Amino acid sequence: MVESRHQWKAWIYLAPAIVLLLIFTVYPIFNTIRISFLEGYNPLEAMNGTKYAFNLQNFAKVLKYKNFFKCLKNTLLLCVITVPVSTLLALLIAVCLNSIKPLSRLLQTIFFLPYVTNSIAIGMVFAAMFNMVGSAYGTPNQIITTAGIINNIIGVFGLGPVNWINSGSTYLANMTVMVIYIVWNALPFKILILLGGLQSVNKQYYDAAKVDGTSRARVFWRITVPLLSPMIAYVVITGFIGGFKEYSSIVGIFGEKMGPADDAGRLNTMVGFIYNELYSSTPNYGRASAAALILFGIILIVTLLNLYVSKKRVHY
Amino acid sequence: MKVVLENLTKIFPSRNKDGSEVVAVNNFTFEIPDGKLIGLLGPSGCGKSTTLYMICGLQAATSGKIYFGDDDVTNLEPESRGVGLVFQNYALYPHMTVKQNILFPLQNLKGEDKLSKDEMLERAYNVAKLVQIDELMNRKPSELSGGQQQRVAIARALVKMPRVLLLDEPLSNLDARLRLQTREEIKRIQKSTGITTVFVTHDQEEAMSISDMIVVMKKGIIQQIGKPQDVYDSPVNLFVAKFLGTPPINVFNGRVENGAIYIGEDKVASANGIENQEVIIGIRPEGFILKENGALKLKLANVEVMGRDVSVVSTKEESANPIIRSIIDADNKIEEGKEEVTFDIKPNKIFIFNKETEERIYLEGQTPTYVPQKEEEKVEEPALETVEETEAVEENTEE
């Protein structure tokens, strides 16, 4: 507890962080909200004193774009698939890691590695792995022999090469690659949180369960999962927030076209949409801001939903 | 269900580089009679919890056997042994209500033992009534007091009707008043269910007050087994004498000379038939009789009045402790400002111990109630009957 006469000291210590937050977080948020209501806003013109109409035109325009709904659909799909899958996988891996004694440190490090890698760089590696290289190099036979590692592995099982990400690939194939990549990328953080949670669970609960002859599955569902529920809620909520902001992973694999070569923008997401509005040949700051606010609204609603559900489900 | 431990040993591999193993429990042999409450008592690190966990099955014995009745359970998993265990911190599942906690062991039952929902509820409510928590069934553990949590833990252990109930330091997490209340409660529950119960404690008062029998342990070795009063009245060695009793026994360095016990120059008791030697002398605080020109002269330091009795604090050069505490009746008056106080010693409250081995040397009129096990020889079980016999002998001699 800080005594009141020392409070000014506390404020001084906090000042650097507060100043930075004000400049780079608080001001941009409010400015974005303001701009989203200004029709045809342009910062350069604004500096010269141009006045803009204050209305909802930006929102109306954004909601009329077909492209916007394509981006929204992609984003929602990725979220709804990857968050549960990665959470479940992370939970399983964390439980396994927690019960392994030898080399546990090493294994934890290995599982944490994706977290410290660059998502663009790893995306390019994934792109190479899923590639069907060589369509430019000649006969179809050559295509198979120079395929990426995934197609080679599939080939071992006698299955034909799948066109995952190249020209002519299907939406399903594209999404599969994205889901695998995003799940893989999301695992380490979730494993870290859940493992930490597991390690703080009192071992005596498990001893008590053992004395009572509890089966393994029951221990997992009735004891481990409920005891971990605060951490699970945390990784699910942060997972959804991260999922709605998905962008760099798609750039990593498909490049800035956000889709296979013959269908650019097929996998575009909400953040991609905002980015395109800002950096097209005729940038529209108002619409970008409106889209950002819509995204914010969606994240807010989903998070509140999450919190509401977890209040009922998260124990103690 | 009687519980028999036969040469039970637990050795933990060393964590140090020198490879020295830790013998937590060393060649334990004793029998817990059916339906009794047994206290495993000793300072921390004496192996009492390890023993409990081996009986429970959470830790495997390095060697030796454990029998429940005639069944050898040594290699059985905990769940097949039919034990109920109450953990030191209760280990109640925080996300379940009291009812769910108590039901949990029943819901695990499979095959023939499987119960219908109504049967489970009935049993849960019966056991909840027994420990008097039937009105708290819908609360979460975090909404209960320590004592209530303790009862829930006992209820959860009892609900599957275990053959043996095990309690690990059951009172250590309770405050002083609750502790007193709860130990009566444990005794009552144990009596009304008749389940053989083993509990572990480092608190001698706790063990003495509710146990039918106590097992005093030190460094993994049984020191003495017997009824609490017998162990208190006739400790087999200095460790047991020191460990039991509050206030603790007063210890002096002294000697036996020509059939008498001397503390310094004071001849405090006779020691017929014992060779001249240096000895350690223990005198219980209640073994002092205030008497003008009594046998033992002490320097008076302080008199503490406690209502019912008076605690006389004094010093003597030969005392092994900084102070000597004697408890005498409040009717005795000690003049203030006196420098010296003299006592006679009650012959059954003075014990002498070998200076080297610290083993008890029995004086005339003192009979051993327990024969310590020697490692090599196969020892007869010191079952409760023999203890009772010797007690009877002692009573006769006292008359």
Side-chain angles (χ1 to χ4, degrees):
Chain A
M1 199 52 91
V2 183
E3 286 175 44
S4 54
R5 68 197 165 93
H6 288 309
Q7 260 187 14
W8 61 273
K9 264 192 187 169
W11 284 111
I12 288 177
Y13 293 138
L14 283 171
I18 289 177
V19 168
L20 288 176
L21 280 171
L22 282 175
I23 296 173
F24 292 108
T25 307
V26 179
Y27 168 72
I29 287 174
F30 284 102
N31 206 29
T32 305
I33 296 172
R34 186 179 71 95
I35 291 169
S36 68
F37 293 104
L38 298 177
E39 199 181 349
Y41 175 87
N42 183 316
L44 288 175
E45 291 175 15
M47 269 193 273
N48 296 331
T50 314
K51 295 279 176 242
Y52 300 98
F54 190 90
N55 56 32
L56 291 169
Q57 276 305 309
N58 290 325
F59 292 93
K61 283 239 175 77
V62 165
L63 291 173
K64 268 185 206 146
Y65 279 138
K66 254 194 194 153
N67 197 23
F68 173 79
F69 288 99
K70 188 169 81 180
C71 295
L72 184 61
K73 188 189 96 183
N74 283 335
T75 309
L76 281 174
L77 255 179
L78 285 176
C79 268
V80 169
I81 298 170
T82 60
V83 173
V85 170
S86 63
T87 305
L88 260 178
L89 266 179
L91 187 58
L92 275 174
I93 293 171
V95 169
C96 293
L97 274 180
N98 195 39
S99 56
I100 292 172
K101 287 243 168 62
L103 300 180
S104 65
R105 290 262 153 194
L106 179 70
L107 286 170
Q108 282 174 30
T109 313
I110 290 172
F111 276 97
F112 194 63
L113 274 180
Y115 193 68
V116 292
T117 51
N118 181 303
S119 64
I120 302 282
I122 297 295
M124 289 166 82
V125 173
F126 263 72
M129 285 165 63
F130 282 95
N131 216 345
M132 262 187 61
V133 189
S135 54
Y137 295 102
T139 67
N141 287 340
Q142 277 175 304
I143 296 170
I144 300 163
T145 49
T146 56
I149 188 166
I150 300 293
N151 275 330
N152 276 318
I153 291 173
I154 293 174
V156 170
F157 297 101
L159 299 167
V162 177
N163 188 349
W164 295 107
I165 54 175
N166 299 89
S167 237
S169 56
T170 61
Y171 181 68
L172 183 68
N174 297 163
M175 276 309 250
T176 310
V177 174
M178 283 323 301
V179 166
I180 291 172
Y181 174 61
I182 292 172
V183 166
W184 179 82
N185 213 2
L187 278 179
F189 177 70
K190 293 190 165 84
I191 292 173
L192 186 78
I193 299 288
L194 295 176
L195 192 59
L198 278 174
Q199 281 166 351
S200 65
V201 168
N202 192 332
K203 298 274 173 297
Q204 291 208 322
Y205 293 130
Y206 295 110
D207 281 344
K210 205 172 170 196
V211 173
D212 292 338
T214 319
S215 66
R216 279 184 154 210
R218 234 172 100 77
V219 168
F220 181 77
W221 289 112
R222 292 291 308 274
I223 297 173
T224 305
V225 170
L227 287 176
L228 277 185
S229 54
M231 286 78 181
I232 294 174
Y234 175 73
V235 296
V236 167
I237 290 172
T238 53
F240 268 109
I241 294 173
F244 277 111
K245 297 196 291 187
E246 208 57 69
Y247 173 66
S248 60
S249 55
I250 294 157
V251 174
I253 289 182
F254 290 98
E256 271 189 276
K257 282 185 178 160
M258 304 294 280
D262 60 340
D263 190 0
R266 185 198 268 173
L267 291 166
N268 208 354
T269 60
M270 293 288 286
V271 173
F273 179 87
I274 296 165
Y275 182 87
N276 288 346
E277 285 296 328
L278 285 175
Y279 292 94
S280 67
S281 49
T282 52
N284 193 318
Y285 301 97
R287 265 179 258 158
S289 299
L293 268 195
I294 292 170
L295 177 60
F296 170 75
I298 293 170
I299 293 179
L300 186 68
I301 290 167
V302 171
T303 305
L304 288 178
L305 257 171
N306 265 325
L307 284 175
Y308 174 75
V309 174
S310 57
K311 250 213 189 106
K312 290 201 155 173
R313 289 259 139 216
V314 172
H315 306 284
Y316 74 99
Chain B
M1 185 67 55
K2 72 174 180 182
V3 176
V4 181
L5 308 183
E6 209 176 271
N7 303 100
L8 195 64
T9 301
K10 177 74 184 179
I11 297 170
F12 287 110
S14 168
R15 289 214 196 100
N16 306 331
K17 282 192 179 141
D18 61 3
S20 59
E21 294 164 324
V22 179
V23 184
V25 176
N26 193 348
N27 205 20
F28 243 72
T29 299
F30 77 95
E31 181 179 322
I32 300 166
D34 183 27
K36 295 286 181 195
L37 181 62
I38 304 299
L40 296 181
L41 176 64
S44 52
C46 73
K48 53 193 191 298
S49 285
T50 309
T51 309
L52 193 81
Y53 285 132
M54 281 196 285
I55 298 175
C56 162
L58 283 174
Q59 279 180 1
T62 308
S63 65
K65 296 262 179 228
I66 302 166
Y67 296 94
F68 287 0
D70 295 324
D71 306 342
D72 181 354
V73 299
T74 318
N75 296 317
L76 286 185
E77 287 296 311
E79 66 262 29
S80 340
R81 294 190 183 195
V83 291
L85 176 62
V86 177
F87 288 88
Q88 185 170 1
N89 59 5
Y90 318 137
L92 297 175
Y93 306 119
H95 54 284
M96 299 184 197
T97 62
V98 170
K99 186 157 74 183
Q100 288 167 329
N101 262 292
I102 299 175
L103 283 174
F104 194 79
L106 296 179
Q107 290 162 343
N108 288 331
L109 297 175
K110 277 180 231 128
E112 292 172 27
D113 304 328
K114 209 166 159 65
L115 298 170
S116 74
K117 272 211 163 130
D118 291 339
E119 283 173 307
M120 285 191 206
L121 272 178
E122 196 192 326
R123 267 170 73 172
Y125 271 97
N126 283 343
V127 73
K129 263 192 203 106
L130 177 72
V131 300
Q132 298 169 350
I133 49 161
D134 45 326
E135 294 183 354
L136 308 170
M137 292 297 257
N138 291 318
R139 296 225 200 143
K140 291 259 176 86
S142 57
E143 298 162 342
L144 302 177
S145 70
Q148 289 167 334
Q149 289 184 24
Q150 166 77 277
R151 286 157 193 249
V152 177
I154 294 175
R156 187 177 67 179
L158 283 176
V159 72
K160 53 183 178 171
M161 300 180 183
R163 301 196 281 180
V164 179
L165 179 64
L166 306 166
L167 304 140
D168 187 8
E169 299 269 5
L171 306 175
S172 62
N173 280 355
L174 304 176
D175 63 50
R177 239 190 62 195
L178 255 178
R179 201 173 294 180
L180 221 67
Q181 210 179 336
T182 310
R183 73 186 193 200
E184 302 304 322
E185 195 74 351
I186 291 176
K187 181 80 197 167
R188 179 185 69 80
I189 294 164
Q190 193 271 332
K191 261 197 174 150
S192 63
T193 56
I195 294 176
T196 309
T197 303
V198 182
F199 82 103
V200 153
T201 179
H202 62 270
D203 182 345
Q204 53 91 18
E205 206 182 314
E206 193 176 304
M208 304 245 308
S209 58
I210 57 171
S211 309
D212 294 315
M213 221 165 113
I214 56 173
V215 179
V216 185
M217 300 171 60
K218 178 193 175 190
K219 291 183 181 160
I221 297 171
I222 296 179
Q223 303 295 310
Q224 189 165 3
I225 303 174
K227 288 188 171 180
Q229 194 65 48
D230 291 343
V231 178
Y232 180 80
D233 286 339
S234 187
V236 294
N237 58 32
L238 184 61
F239 171 79
V240 176
K242 276 175 159 173
F243 199 74
L244 294 187
T246 27
I249 196 164
N250 299 297
V251 181
F252 301 90
N253 293 310
R255 65 189 187 281
V256 172
E257 207 174 282
N258 304 326
I261 303 168
Y262 286 90
I263 298 174
E265 294 311 310
D266 302 346
K267 179 182 165 187
V268 291
S270 65
N272 281 337
I274 293 169
E275 305 175 19
N276 292 353
Q277 60 186 302
E278 299 266 302
V279 290
I280 298 168
I281 299 161
I283 305 173
R284 293 272 181 218
E286 69 275 21
F288 294 84
I289 306 165
L290 188 69
K291 194 176 168 193
E292 199 96 359
N293 299 320
L296 181 63
K297 294 187 191 63
L298 302 173
K299 250 189 236 137
L300 184 64
N302 195 5
V303 178
E304 293 169 8
V305 182
M306 297 185 292
R308 194 159 36 103
D309 358 80
V310 175
S311 172
V312 182
V313 181
S314 51
T315 58
K316 191 169 180 72
E317 210 177 305
E318 288 80 8
S319 171
N321 308 323
I323 60 158
I324 301 152
R325 193 178 283 277
S326 33
I327 309 280
I328 55 171
D329 209 80
D331 298 339
N332 293 292
K333 291 281 175 280
I334 297 177
E335 287 169 40
E336 272 183 55
K338 249 177 123 177
E339 286 196 354
E340 196 183 68
V341 63
T342 58
F343 294 102
D344 269 357
I345 306 300
K346 295 179 189 167
N348 60 338
K349 293 290 178 187
I350 180 167
F351 314 122
I352 62 170
F353 304 94
N354 184 301
K355 182 131 187 157
E356 304 302 322
T357 63
E358 300 190 347
E359 293 295 324
R360 174 92 176 271
I361 302 166
Y362 290 91
L363 297 167
E364 210 176 25
Q366 294 179 339
T367 334
T369 54
Y370 175 77
V371 185
Q373 304 169 21
K374 291 284 174 291
E375 269 193 38
E376 294 85 4
E377 53 191 327
K378 179 110 175 81
V379 186
E380 283 290 306
E381 282 302 316
L384 209 59
E385 290 80 37
T386 52
V387 174
E388 275 163 358
E389 272 169 29
T390 45
E391 185 192 44
V393 171
E394 198 174 51
E395 274 170 11
N396 291 339
T397 51
E398 271 172 18
E399 284 164 14

